[in-house]
Amino acid sequence: MRLSTKNGFLACALLFVMALMAATGYWSGSQLSTILAYITGPAWDTADGAMETTIGIQGEMGWMQSRLVGMPVTDEQLHKAATMTDEAFARLLVAKIMDTRTSDKVAEELKNFRILFAQLRSRYDAMHVLQRQLLDNVEPMQRLGAAMEEIGDEQFETLDASQSMTVGSFKKRWVAADGGMESLIGFYTQLYHLEQLAHVQNYVSLPELITNALAFQDHAVSAMLESGVFDGPIDGFGNEPAGKLYSAYFTKHKNLMTQSVVSVLAFRQQFLLCADAAGILLASLGEFEELGDRAVESQTANVAGIVRWAQFSTIFMLLLVTLTVAGNYLMLKSWVIIPIGQLHSRINDLVRGEGDLTARIENIRNDELGDLGRSINQLMALLHALVVKINDKGQFIVE
């Protein structure tokens, strides 16, 4: 094999090792880039989108609960929570980790929650309007009731001064005083249970308690007004008879109280429906978040595997490069350096042979160094032939 062929073989071996190193580095970098893009893209958007959507849904429900208990909340806060929900859910869908069927199912759950929440707000607004009307009617009715109870109490304070007390007049005074007191008891009992109806968890028995309290007040008001004590006006309440004015307040109160109970029950029912829809949606979002977390964890494990593989490949490539360089040196020494030394030694032998032009270089190789040896042998043969010819000519001249 010629030296140029051997040199080409060594160069190809070295280029192969370098190409293998470059390909390994490129593949590792490409894989890491793809995995990191997946982790920071679809996987992150799925996990983080599901988490932020969950926070947004909880924020919307929390906004309604805060408003229900009278905490200061604004529509801007609700809009912020709803916007965060929609934007996070959009990122979650764009990630496309979940199959289309599952994504459509969760999108439908969110749509259903939005419809139910809008109805819940409507129920709350209706309930709030009725309660506002109820309280607006309560304030003057409460003041008038307190004034009538005070008048009823005064009926007993004048018993000792009366000179013509009869059983009928005593009963009239008693009914006026007791009716006013019982009317206020029934009135405050209704307001207390109505407040509980909107907030406590176990509210099933409260509508009946409100109905009973309303009936109790109705009976007390009827007896109080029939006493005749309040047929005239009361100072501070105009010229209309107090009994007639209170009867008008109470009639409006009964209607508003009945409507308020129905409205609160409708709100509670809608709240349960909305909470159930939110629970279903949050469960689905939890699955999305878990899927995203698993995707991140699996890809993180893949990154660790690629890093380990890259480390192993780097060590292997370094060893391969070392062996290749060492092999190239040994082959260069075997194919070039040693043969050149041998050729040099044979040429020296020719020189030390005191001009023996018949000596030849033996064991000639079949490569460029062999060509050089053959050329030297040809030169020696040419010189020998020339010397012989000169000797022959000189001998001829001498003779």
Side-chain angles (χ1 to χ4, degrees):
M1 184 183 297
R2 301 185 66 80
L3 287 177
S4 59
T5 303
K6 295 177 182 179
N7 184 62
F9 174 77
L10 294 177
C12 289
L14 188 59
L15 287 175
F16 173 76
V17 172
M18 294 175 64
L20 188 61
M21 290 181 65
T24 301
Y26 176 79
W27 182 86
S28 300
S30 176
Q31 289 294 108
L32 286 174
S33 177
T34 301
I35 291 175
L36 290 176
Y38 180 80
I39 291 176
T40 58
W44 174 258
D45 286 342
T46 298
D48 187 63
M51 181 183 66
E52 289 191 2
T53 304
T54 298
I55 294 173
I57 295 296
Q58 292 173 340
E60 292 180 57
M61 292 298 293
W63 178 88
M64 179 57 71
Q65 290 175 332
S66 297
R67 192 172 186 182
L68 187 60
V69 298
M71 293 180 63
V73 290
T74 63
D75 289 343
E76 182 180 355
Q77 291 173 309
L78 176 62
H79 177 72
K80 183 178 180 180
T83 301
M84 182 176 73
T85 298
D86 293 337
E87 291 178 352
F89 189 72
R91 287 197 294 115
L92 187 151
L93 293 181
V94 170
K96 293 183 178 180
I97 286 186
M98 278 285 192
D99 58 90
T100 304
R101 182 178 178 182
T102 304
S103 298
D104 291 344
K105 171 179 169 290
V106 179
E108 188 64 28
E109 290 173 357
L110 179 59
K111 179 181 178 181
N112 183 52
F113 170 77
R114 283 276 183 263
I115 293 173
L116 291 175
F117 191 82
Q119 294 173 350
L120 181 65
R121 287 198 66 185
S122 178
R123 297 282 189 189
Y124 175 83
D125 291 340
M127 180 184 71
H128 183 71
V129 168
L130 282 171
Q131 289 184 349
R132 185 71 265 168
Q133 293 175 353
L134 180 66
L135 293 177
D136 289 343
N137 186 66
V138 159
E139 193 274 330
M141 180 181 171
Q142 183 182 16
R143 287 191 298 106
L144 180 58
M148 292 170 68
E149 183 186 12
E150 185 177 351
I151 291 173
D153 292 339
E154 290 176 354
Q155 298 295 313
F156 278 92
E157 294 176 1
T158 59
L159 283 176
D160 294 338
S162 177
Q163 301 298 322
S164 58
M165 179 60 63
T166 64
V167 174
S169 63
F170 180 83
K171 182 178 180 180
K172 184 172 99 171
R173 294 166 184 257
W174 168 256
V175 169
D178 186 60
M181 180 182 64
E182 290 184 352
S183 174
L184 288 176
I185 291 174
F187 175 71
Y188 289 128
T189 301
Q190 295 164 47
L191 295 180
Y192 171 74
H193 289 318
L194 183 64
E195 179 71 17
Q196 284 192 315
L197 183 62
H199 300 100
V200 299
Q201 185 173 1
N202 186 12
Y203 64 91
V204 177
S205 62
L206 293 178
E208 183 179 358
L209 294 176
I210 294 174
T211 300
N212 293 338
L214 190 60
F216 180 79
Q217 184 184 12
D218 192 7
H219 176 74
V221 169
S222 298
M224 180 179 65
L225 297 181
E226 289 174 359
S227 68
V229 174
F230 307 107
D231 291 342
I234 297 178
D235 292 340
F237 293 93
N239 297 323
E240 190 174 358
K244 183 179 179 181
L245 184 59
Y246 191 85
S247 178
Y249 282 137
F250 183 63
T251 299
K252 185 177 181 180
H253 171 76
K254 287 192 293 183
N255 291 332
L256 289 173
M257 180 59 70
T258 302
Q259 293 175 32
S260 293
V261 170
V262 173
S263 178
V264 172
L265 289 175
F267 172 81
R268 292 298 299 262
Q269 183 63 31
Q270 188 66 32
F271 189 88
L272 290 176
L273 292 175
C274 196
D276 289 341
I280 294 172
L281 177 58
L282 292 178
S284 298
L285 292 172
E287 294 177 4
F288 267 99
E289 184 176 357
E290 185 177 348
L291 177 66
D293 290 338
R294 286 201 304 268
V296 171
E297 290 171 1
S298 66
Q299 294 302 319
T300 301
N302 290 339
V303 169
I306 292 175
V307 169
R308 287 194 299 270
W309 187 88
Q311 291 173 339
F312 171 78
S313 298
T314 301
I315 295 173
F316 175 76
M317 290 301 168
L318 288 175
L319 291 175
L320 188 59
V321 168
T322 302
L323 291 175
T324 301
V325 172
N328 285 349
Y329 170 75
L330 292 176
M331 286 185 287
L332 181 65
K333 182 178 180 181
S334 174
W335 293 343
V336 178
I337 297 176
I338 293 177
I340 287 177
Q342 293 174 345
L343 182 60
H344 179 264
S345 177
R346 289 171 185 173
I347 293 173
N348 283 337
D349 290 340
L350 292 178
V351 173
R352 287 194 298 269
E354 296 180 355
D356 184 4
L357 298 178
T358 61
R360 297 290 184 269
I361 298 174
E362 300 177 351
N363 300 324
I364 295 178
R365 300 155 53 93
N366 189 26
D367 56 16
E368 286 83 353
L369 292 177
D371 292 342
L372 179 61
R374 281 188 289 272
S375 296
I376 292 174
N377 285 340
Q378 291 175 359
L379 176 62
M380 294 294 290
L382 182 62
L383 290 175
H384 178 262
L386 181 62
V387 170
V388 170
K389 187 175 181 179
I390 292 173
N391 286 337
D392 290 342
K393 291 290 184 180
Q395 187 66 31
F396 175 77
I397 294 173
V398 170
E399 293 178 356

